[in-house]
Amino acid sequence: MPKPKLVLGNKRYSSWSLRGYLALKFAGIDFDEVMVPLFVGDFHKAIKDNAPDAPSKVPSLVDGEHTIWDTNSIMEFAAENTQKDALWPDDKYSRAHARSICAEMHSGFTALRGHMPMDLGLTKDAAELPEDVSTDINRIVEIWSDCRKRYAQNGPYLFGKLSMADAAYAPVVARFLGNSVALDDVCEAYMKAIWELPAFAEWRKAASAEEWIITQ
């Protein structure tokens, strides 16, 4: 039976692709990758050619005759089909909490996204930030700090054990490290735990070998 196929963008830049990739890796789902370099040629057509039933955006997951798009949907699919531990918290209120912060990540933090796009090949010195970007950072710090306070006894991740919330916030770790954003010890420890995940290390290694550079 053919493996599912994840259509994704450049690993150096595509934060949403990273989320989908980590979700599948966390779940232990074996899959093939199709890389579509963003902003190279007719990349929208290339995405559509590989995932014809989805919008021409990345990531999209094609599993036989079925296509799943939108990162949150890929995360839910991975969690429902995990070959490893559960990827949402067991307690219904903790599970709702995890889904709430994933939804907030999915729909919010536009100032941060615009000012600090993910670029795994670049590290900048710390700089003064616009007020709206600082507001987004402060909210993320609030989320992380609250999660670690509640669930630290269960492990080093947002909900103790590894969960889809960590897939959702992993690109933020890359943004903060790439822009030398200084955080408190609790958040620094969380970022270190995410950065050292084997799946994230594999992603970064592949990103460093890419030849496509997007000038900003």
Side-chain angles (χ1 to χ4, degrees), residues 3-147:
K3 291 186 286 187
K5 175 178 67 176
L6 183 67
V7 183
L8 42 77
N10 315 47
K11 291 187 174 179
R12 176 168 173 168
Y13 304 106
S14 184
S15 57
W16 291 109
S17 296
L18 172 58
R19 293 180 175 100
Y21 173 94
L22 289 178
L24 296 174
K25 287 288 187 177
F26 291 176
I29 295 172
D30 194 17
F31 61 97
D32 291 323
E33 298 177 34
V34 176
M35 168 71 69
V36 177
L38 303 177
F39 311 115
V40 175
D42 191 349
F43 67 95
H44 286 297
K45 181 178 184 301
I47 296 170
K48 199 71 174 173
D49 287 345
N50 282 285
D53 294 333
S56 56
K57 296 179 180 180
V58 291
S60 289
L61 180 65
V62 181
D63 188 7
E65 297 179 354
H66 306 284
T67 303
I68 303 119
W69 63 93
D70 185 278
T71 305
N72 272 8
S73 295
I74 294 172
M75 288 165 55
E76 289 286 359
F77 177 84
E80 289 174 358
N81 293 279
T82 183
Q83 304 301 305
K84 297 185 177 181
D85 293 339
L87 289 168
W88 291 114
D90 293 333
D91 173 72
K92 64 181 180 180
Y93 295 110
S94 298
R95 191 162 59 248
H97 182 192
R99 286 194 167 106
S100 293
I101 67 167
C102 287
E104 189 172 352
M105 181 73 256
H106 192 269
S107 62
F109 306 117
T110 55
L112 176 68
R113 298 181 202 281
H115 191 77
M116 293 183 181
M118 190 178 83
D119 184 345
L120 288 168
L122 183 66
T123 301
K124 298 179 180 179
D125 292 334
E128 187 174 352
L129 300 172
E131 183 177 354
D132 55 354
V133 177
S134 293
T135 298
D136 280 354
I137 291 172
N138 290 339
R139 174 56 186 156
I140 289 169
V141 167
E142 181 181 20
I143 289 169
W144 289 0
S145 299
D146 178 53
C147 286

Side-chain angles (χ1 to χ4, degrees), residues 158-212:
L158 288 178
F159 289 82
K161 296 179 181 179
L162 196 65
S163 75
M164 285 304 167
D166 301 301
Y169 281 86
V172 176
V173 172
R175 285 182 163 100
F176 285 177
L177 292 175
N179 288 273
S180 301
V181 176
L183 301 176
D184 61 31
D185 290 346
V186 170
C187 292
E188 290 282 357
Y190 172 66
M191 290 201 298
K192 185 174 186 290
I194 294 300
W195 194 253
E196 292 178 349
L197 284 168
F200 202 171
E202 291 173 7
W203 178 279
R204 297 199 312 275
K205 182 178 179 180
S208 69
E210 290 180 348
E211 60 185 23
W212 310 285

